[in-house]
């Protein structure tokens, strides 16, 4: 007799091959991306709504941004898989996994992923915490802390945002802070960002007492904001595309 093991992935993918995007107005505007809503027209998700995220800056160096974004997604997926395997909570956390799609007419590229209904932000990359985020809010503060512990202090997963679904919670568009500023793109505030997070982090019921925290608290150099704080490009890259800082 055959035995089959079904593995449910902790990711949520497009599962579609084509979509119509409504470009007449931006659904949301982030620090350096515009988000448009659309609908899948072919594939398993045909009929469901999706979003297309476009970088605000010019097209020439977009490849660079797409690659950075996908490296954040890959690393985040590892954290979420480890979190699930550690059995900290019984409910699932899924990561929305975008893919780079190309518009048929303009040839421009965008990151496409399934839409998240009831979207909310639960923490930022500068230590802001949604104090009315409920149980999922507390789970996400623990997920950030777990990512630091689980990576032996190498990274911090943050900018956690998304929405609840029937079988858990879906995250989208996170940020990773690392030991090398900007290694994970412009939202990677480096070690100072990690210190800023822990200066403002209060362990809740899902954090474990033995999880590591930075031994030196350093300086909370970045002002705490709800939006995503971006670091300017290093001098070598300024000629490509200076990124706008978030307005104070
Ligand atoms: Zn904690």
């Amino acid at each position: 007799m055959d035995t089959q093991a079904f593995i449910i992935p902790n990711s949520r993918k497009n599962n579609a091959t084509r979509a119509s995007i409504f470009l007449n107005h931006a659904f949301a505007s982030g620090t350096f991306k515009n988000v448009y809503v659309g609908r899948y027209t072919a594939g398993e998700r045909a009929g469901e709504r999706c979003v297309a995220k476009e970088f605000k800056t010019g097209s020439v160096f977009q490849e660079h941004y797409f690659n950075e974004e996908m490296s954040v997604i890959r690393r985040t997926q590892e954290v979420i898989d480890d979190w699930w395997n550690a059995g900290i909570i019984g409910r699932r956390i899924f990561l929305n996994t975008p893919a780079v799609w190309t518009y048929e007419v303009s040839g421009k590229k965008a990151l496409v992923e399934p839409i998240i209904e009831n979207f909310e932000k639960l923490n930022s990359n500068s230590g802001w915490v949604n104090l009315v985020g409920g149980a999922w809010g507390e789970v996400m503060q623990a997920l950030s802390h777990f990512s630091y512990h689980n990576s032996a202090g190498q990274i911090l997963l943050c900018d956690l945002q998304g929405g609840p679904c029937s079988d858990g919670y879906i995250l989208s568009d996170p940020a990773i802070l690392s030991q090398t500023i900007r290694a994970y793109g412009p939202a990677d505030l480096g070690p100072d960002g990690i210190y800023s997070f822990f200066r403002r982090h209060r362990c809740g019921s899902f954090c474990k007492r033995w999880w590591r925290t930075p031994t030196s608290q350093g300086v909370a150099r970045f002002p705490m904001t709800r939006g995503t704080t971006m670091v300017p490009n290093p001098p070598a890259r300024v000629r490509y595309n200076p990124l706008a800082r978030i307005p104070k």
Side-chain angles (χ1 to χ4, degrees), residues 141-142 145 201-204 207 211:
Q141 312 319 324
H145 191 169
H201 174 73
R202 298 287 170 271
C203 286
C207 290
W211 287 354

Side-chain angles (χ1 to χ4, degrees), residues 12 24 50-51 56-57 97 124-125 132 139 141 148 165 220 225:
R12 182 174 179 244
N24 40 351
C50 63
V51 294
K56 286 179 180 175
T57 45
T97 310
S124 77
N125 68 338
V132 290
V139 167
Q141 312 319 324
Y148 183 79
C165 60
T225 64

Side-chain angles (χ1 to χ4, degrees), residues 75-235:
R75 190 68 186 88
T76 302
Q77 190 66 63
E78 289 172 9
V79 172
I80 290 175
D81 290 346
D82 287 348
W83 163 273
W84 175 247
N85 293 333
I88 296 156
I89 59 166
R91 300 194 67 199
R92 292 268 182 175
I93 297 174
F94 302 96
L95 178 63
N96 240 6
T97 310
V100 182
W101 286 20
T102 307
Y103 287 104
E104 287 172 343
V105 177
S106 66
K108 276 175 67 179
K109 290 184 178 351
L111 285 164
V112 176
E113 64 182 53
I115 201 166
I116 293 178
E117 307 294 346
N118 307 315
F119 192 86
E120 60 190 349
K121 184 149 180 159
L122 297 169
N123 70 23
S124 77
N125 68 338
S126 58
W128 173 86
V129 168
N130 183 344
L131 295 174
V132 290
W136 278 117
E138 209 171 310
V139 167
M140 295 311 160
Q141 312 319 324
L143 178 61
S144 289
H145 191 169
F146 172 83
S147 69
Y148 183 79
H149 173 77
N150 187 56
S151 65
Q154 291 307 297
I155 60 149
L156 181 83
L157 170 65
C158 53
D159 233 358
L160 297 177
Q161 50 203 320
C165 60
S166 59
D167 38 4
Y169 200 95
I170 306 158
L171 289 176
S172 170
D173 220 357
I176 286 184
L177 310 184
S178 73
Q179 294 303 323
T180 310
I181 194 164
R182 265 198 127 270
Y184 283 93
D188 180 353
L189 307 177
D192 284 346
I194 294 177
Y195 292 138
S196 298
F197 174 88
F198 278 103
R199 279 282 289 273
R200 291 148 183 163
H201 174 73
R202 298 287 170 271
C203 286
S205 53
F206 300 103
C207 290
K208 306 293 183 202
R209 275 195 312 276
W210 59 85
W211 287 354
R212 75 156 72 195
T213 51
T215 44
S216 154
Q217 288 286 296
V219 194
R221 183 162 76 84
F222 296 99
M224 183 171 70
T225 64
R226 183 179 180 282
T228 306
T229 304
M230 300 288 177
V231 278
N233 286 335

